[in-house]
Amino acid sequence: MSSIISREELRALPMIQQPTYPDQAALDRTIDALEALPPLVFAGECDDLRLKLAEVAEGRAFLLQGGDCAETFDAVTATNIKSKLLVQLSMAVVMTYAAQVPVVKVGRIAGQYAKPRSKDTETRGDVTLPAYRGDAINGFGFTPDDRAHDPQRLLRVYNASAATLNLVRAFVKGGFADLRGVHTWNAQFVRDSSVEAEYEELASEIDRALAFMVACGVHDDSLSTVDFYASHEALLLEYERALTRVDSRSQELYTCSGHMLWIGERTRQLDGAHVELLRRVQNPLGIKLGPTTTPEQAIELADRLDPDRVPGRITFITRMGAKKVRDVLPGVISGIEATGRKVAWVCDPMHGNTFEAANGYKTRSFTDVVDEVNGFFDVHEQLGTWPGGLHVELTGDDVTECVGGIFNLGEDDLANRYETVCDPRLNRNQSLELAFTVAKRLRSGRLGRVNPVQEFRAKEL
């Protein structure tokens, strides 16, 4: 059994992308308060997710992980939470039908309040202030007061996350997630847009399948409730350490800020504080891998974070970029496969495809996003491995942050509803379109393998 790392031990380790608080005593008071609060999630829930991710690694399930680039305190409303949840559940319906395996649903939610930044400061005209690092650290407004790093915000993160989780649990277990209701979003999407005929046919097939199940008398909870898990980047070390708890059943450590945590591309140093903190806990872990990743680096990270090779422990979230995924990913997958280790492979087609539009907006092209997804599937088909999931920044609102898609948003449209405080997200229609794109690849992949979930032998009478 690992022991909880002390504040002093943590602060002695190499720490990057962390807040710079001017008042250490104020930070310690905040950490004292966090340590006394109940867990946000429970160890048993984390174990359940890890078992489901083990199924993903074995090709028996598919992971859909999505949500905001960076959550904000102002967006913690019932309407916003409901719309994000609904778009992800709608995507999952299409993918489940296409893949004919369960889709594990994980949100970038209830904890994604901080972001790493490439620059420590931001300059506007003659004024230079600390960069906005997420509501967990400072404010978005461009004033000295807003941009000051304030440890009290960590308590607001906890409270906002608790409120979000409470509502999500009520939604997914209270009938909101009913398959027939959720699928109406997909049906409306294909009616209101000029989608490919194949997408229209897929939506019609799902309609007929749902009607068939109802006619057969299938009315159990599996049609009206779902399991939905919370994840975020484990960026803020003081916060994650303060919410680490000892499970009363096993005496093992869990970081109880979220079910699944991931380590970002910028913070996965083998000797760094992020790896040291997370190697001690039992949560399922994601590891972001960018285009400079070598097979040796991926193997070393997996060995450091999961020396016992626990099924479902490691998910590699690849963010190579559309232009590099087909060149870099095969070597990384082959390297891991050669060790005999089974991990979940998930595509993040967002972070490697960001660019600045001519009018100054940070954006992403839907075409590039789709190209990276297709590259991810191409590589797995060539290697005979399972393309285990999709990790995407999205919103249920009709924002204009990414160009392209069925409604052909252009750079001139970005100013209409550019609402993100950090990176551009797919809007509702782009998210659903991407779901149908993934579904198309999942259906084609089905033809080349025996589906272990659907194997059946009739009984001899």
Side-chain angles (χ1 to χ4, degrees):
M1 184 188 76
S2 299
S3 59
I4 297 178
I5 190 169
S6 70
R7 297 184 206 186
E8 293 72 27
E9 289 175 305
L10 181 70
R11 292 167 184 174
L13 292 168
M15 299 169 66
I16 62 174
Q17 293 287 341
Q18 298 303 292
T20 51
Y21 297 119
D23 186 344
Q24 188 67 38
L27 172 62
D28 283 330
R29 287 193 296 272
T30 299
I31 299 306
D32 288 340
L34 284 169
E35 288 178 345
L37 290 168
L40 288 169
V41 302
F42 305 107
E45 296 172 334
C46 300
D47 291 341
D48 290 343
L49 177 56
R50 191 174 63 242
L51 292 174
K52 287 181 169 67
L53 292 172
E55 294 285 278
V56 173
E58 292 289 344
R60 299 178 60 87
F62 189 83
L63 172 66
L64 174 60
Q65 188 174 13
D68 265 321
C69 155
E71 295 176 280
T72 63
F73 298 143
D74 288 343
V76 182
T77 67
T79 300
N80 283 331
I81 294 167
K82 182 170 71 172
S83 64
K84 283 187 288 189
L85 183 60
L86 184 53
V87 73
Q88 195 165 342
L89 294 177
S90 301
M91 294 171 73
V93 170
V94 178
M95 294 175 183
T96 304
Y97 184 82
Q100 300 288 289
V101 300
V103 170
V104 182
K105 292 163 275 289
V106 179
R108 288 174 59 109
I109 199 168
Q112 187 61 17
Y113 287 96
K115 292 285 286 186
R117 305 311 300 262
S118 55
K119 295 180 180 179
D120 289 335
T121 59
E122 178 185 356
T123 300
R124 299 185 189 178
D126 297 330
V127 179
T128 298
L129 294 174
Y132 172 66
R133 288 183 169 271
D135 276 12
I137 299 171
N138 56 0
F140 187 66
F142 195 71
T143 69
D145 285 345
D146 283 320
R147 292 299 175 91
H149 292 191
D150 179 5
Q152 281 288 111
R153 286 176 168 268
L154 297 178
L155 289 169
R156 293 189 66 187
V157 170
Y158 176 92
N159 291 327
S161 299
T164 300
L165 285 168
N166 183 57
L167 190 59
V168 167
R169 286 177 171 129
F171 277 140
V172 299
K173 300 301 181 185
F176 174 77
D178 186 278
L179 266 176
R180 285 166 294 177
V182 167
H183 180 58
T184 58
W185 259 35
N186 294 322
Q188 179 189 8
F189 168 68
V190 297
R191 279 198 309 269
D192 295 348
S193 56
S194 302
V195 295
E196 296 180 31
E198 185 175 0
Y199 297 171
E200 291 187 77
E201 178 57 29
L202 179 57
S204 296
E205 285 182 34
I206 297 172
D207 284 336
R208 293 193 291 271
L210 290 171
F212 175 74
M213 286 190 288
V214 171
C216 289
V218 179
H219 293 297
D220 64 12
D221 286 346
S222 62
L223 293 183
S224 59
T225 66
V226 299
D227 292 323
F228 194 87
Y229 299 93
S231 71
H232 61 269
E233 181 176 356
L235 182 63
L236 298 183
L237 295 164
E238 299 275 9
Y239 180 78
E240 302 299 345
R241 194 206 66 80
L243 285 175
T244 299
R245 303 285 186 267
V246 177
D247 177 28
S248 59
R249 308 165 307 159
S250 64
Q251 302 305 303
E252 296 287 356
L253 297 181
Y254 290 78
T255 294
C256 294
S257 62
H259 299 108
M260 177 185 183
L261 307 170
W262 73 83
I263 300 179
E265 170 80 352
R266 292 182 175 97
T267 55
R268 54 178 174 81
Q269 295 79 17
L270 285 171
D271 62 346
H274 289 87
V275 169
E276 178 59 30
L277 183 69
L278 291 186
R279 78 174 184 85
R280 300 182 181 220
V281 299
Q282 301 301 308
N283 305 63
L285 300 177
I287 307 171
K288 289 286 190 87
L289 301 179
T292 62
T293 305
T294 65
E296 293 75 22
Q297 288 172 338
I299 293 167
E300 288 174 342
L301 281 162
D303 287 346
R304 177 69 170 158
L305 290 164
D306 180 32
D308 298 327
R309 300 194 176 192
V310 176
R313 165 72 164 173
I314 297 295
T315 296
F316 279 126
I317 305 168
T318 63
R319 38 156 297 180
M320 307 292 185
K323 295 179 180 178
K324 298 182 179 179
V325 62
R326 294 174 177 84
D327 297 326
V328 179
L329 187 57
V332 177
I333 294 175
S334 298
I336 291 290
E337 287 282 311
T339 68
R341 180 185 286 277
K342 279 292 182 185
V343 304
W345 293 101
V346 173
C347 177
D348 169 0
M350 307 295 290
H351 286 90
N353 296 304
T354 308
F355 67 96
E356 185 174 311
N359 53 9
Y361 285 95
K362 184 196 285 189
T363 190
R364 291 158 175 157
S365 166
F366 186 77
T367 300
D368 291 340
V369 170
V370 169
D371 189 25
E372 180 157 2
V373 168
N374 281 324
F376 175 79
F377 275 89
D378 290 344
V379 169
H380 282 284
E381 286 188 6
Q382 291 161 10
L383 296 176
T385 48
W386 175 240
L390 180 71
H391 179 116
V392 64
E393 292 182 338
L394 57 79
T395 175
D397 299 325
D398 295 323
V399 299
T400 55
E401 296 169 4
C402 294
V403 296
I406 282 173
F407 292 96
N408 200 27
L409 291 179
E411 292 188 7
D412 290 341
D413 298 313
L414 295 175
N416 294 339
R417 281 195 65 181
Y418 196 94
E419 298 176 4
T420 182
V421 294
C422 194
D423 291 338
R425 305 159 295 174
L426 299 180
N427 63 27
R428 180 183 71 144
N429 290 318
Q430 290 166 333
S431 299
L432 296 179
E433 185 179 355
L434 183 61
F436 279 94
T437 302
V438 171
K440 183 176 181 179
R441 293 306 302 258
L442 288 168
R443 291 188 95 178
S444 66
R446 270 172 32 203
L447 304 176
R449 75 171 193 141
V450 175
N451 187 330
V453 175
Q454 299 294 339
E455 285 185 290
F456 173 76
R457 288 186 180 179
K459 287 185 177 180
E460 298 271 342
L461 298 178

